[in-house]
Amino acid sequence: MPKIERIELHHIDLPLVHPFETSFGREVTRPCILVSVHAAGLTGWGECVAGDGPWYASETIGTAWHVLADYLIPALLGQEIDEPADVVARFARVRGHAMARAALENAVWDLLAQARRVPLADMIGGRQERVPVGVSVGIEPRLEILLDRVAQYVDEGYGRVKLKIKPGWDVDVVRAVREQWPDLPLQVDANSAYSLADTPLLQALDPFNLLLIEQPLHHDDIVDHARLQAQLRTPLCLDESIHSPEHARWALDIAACRVINVKVGRVGGLTAALRIHDLCAERGVPVWCGGMLETNVGRAANVALAALPNFTLPGDISASARYYHRDIAEPDFVLNDGSTLTVPTGVGLGVQVIAERLAAVRLRRSVRACS
Ligand code: OSB
Ligand code: MG
């Protein structure tokens, strides 16, 4: 592969179809950074999932921009990159900043898959042609609105629903959804809104036959989650606490969870996500692909990842229309019968960024070329 000639950052902001509320806040638009890597007439794309503020994770668009511009881009510009492992090696000195690292590493994966003329899913060992998906339903001002929203998604064909919960919006909401949909595959996500003192409340979710309870406790904890898991029938799933393959191993070693939500951004890129997949497969622990309200760029990477064999639970990878009226990349992902998305068969990510659409929602751009 010839050397990396140019790397661009694009800070964009896209209005969401519906505001999305979690225990940590409400989002009406979704800002993110897109990274493009240019070499040999090809362009690879990666999406940075850091948010505006440090609410879901400590990284923000501001910190990611800084780390990309001042450390990660200089480490790649002008270099000959033949393998994703070359990127991982060049980023090895950087501690933390997983979302910034992932965005650039994933853009290189796209570039290399294009150079080898294979779909990204093939390059990483994905075997499924269609991946099972569900929908993540935010907190609503009233229960009736939530029930309408769930009904809408079920009518659209989503076969698995995740409800966001927080204190005051939990057991009653789950009970109401269960009463209306007794057999619907259902799970909940607390985004760290509870503590070990809430064990009785979380035990009260056990009778509702949930697939899993996601990240109920502190965002960096595994020890209390292990204590909680020992007192629950429902499997716990960790999201926020798993920042790397090492965190995944530590969590499994102490039985802090029985399922892991893999987000490429949170764990620092596709290489780390693949290692977590393999570790969990060895240990008989199912994984699923989490979402961060991605554009079609990030969604294409998620769908490719979810094509791996141990992604056995439906991902938070909904159809493009669930998030945006007009994405910056084409084609849109559409929901198939059976609640699946089709893995793209084009080379690389298999989606094309539309320059005019990107420019229309861009707030800031940085171009770095090697001399
Ligand atoms: O905790 O899984 C989460 C969105 C933003 C931040 C955190 C989370 C989420 C989601 C959305 O649940 C999933 C999706 O992209 O559909
Ligand atoms: Mg989550």
Side-chain angles (χ1 to χ4, degrees), residues 53-91:
W55 321 132
Y56 164 80
S58 60
E59 286 184 271
T60 67
I61 286 179
T63 68
W65 190 280
H66 159 57
V67 171
L68 280 158
D70 294 345
Y71 303 104
L72 301 176
I73 291 175
L76 283 196
L77 211 53
Q79 303 295 324
E80 306 245 349
I81 300 293
D82 295 311
E83 299 282 344
D86 299 338
V87 179
V88 176
R90 294 190 175 278
F91 290 176

Side-chain angles (χ1 to χ4, degrees), residues 173-218:
V173 176
V174 172
R175 183 183 300 112
V177 171
R178 253 298 166 249
E179 274 171 10
Q180 216 164 316
W181 293 278
D183 301 320
L184 177 69
L186 189 65
Q187 63 195 56
V188 295
D189 185 0
N191 291 110
S192 301
Y194 299 91
S195 70
L196 214 42
D198 297 308
T199 301
L201 185 149
L202 295 162
Q203 284 171 324
L205 293 172
D206 263 341
F208 297 110
N209 189 27
L210 300 177
L211 287 169
L212 54 89
I213 300 174
E214 185 177 343
Q215 195 77 33
L217 308 181
H218 187 278

Side-chain angles (χ1 to χ4, degrees), residues 20 56 136 162 164 189 191 239 263 291-293 316 323:
F20 188 73
Y56 164 80
S136 174
K162 165 168 133 180
K164 289 291 189 177
D189 185 0
N191 291 110
D239 173 355
K263 287 181 183 168
M292 294 292 287
L293 311 174
D316 272 351
Y323 305 96

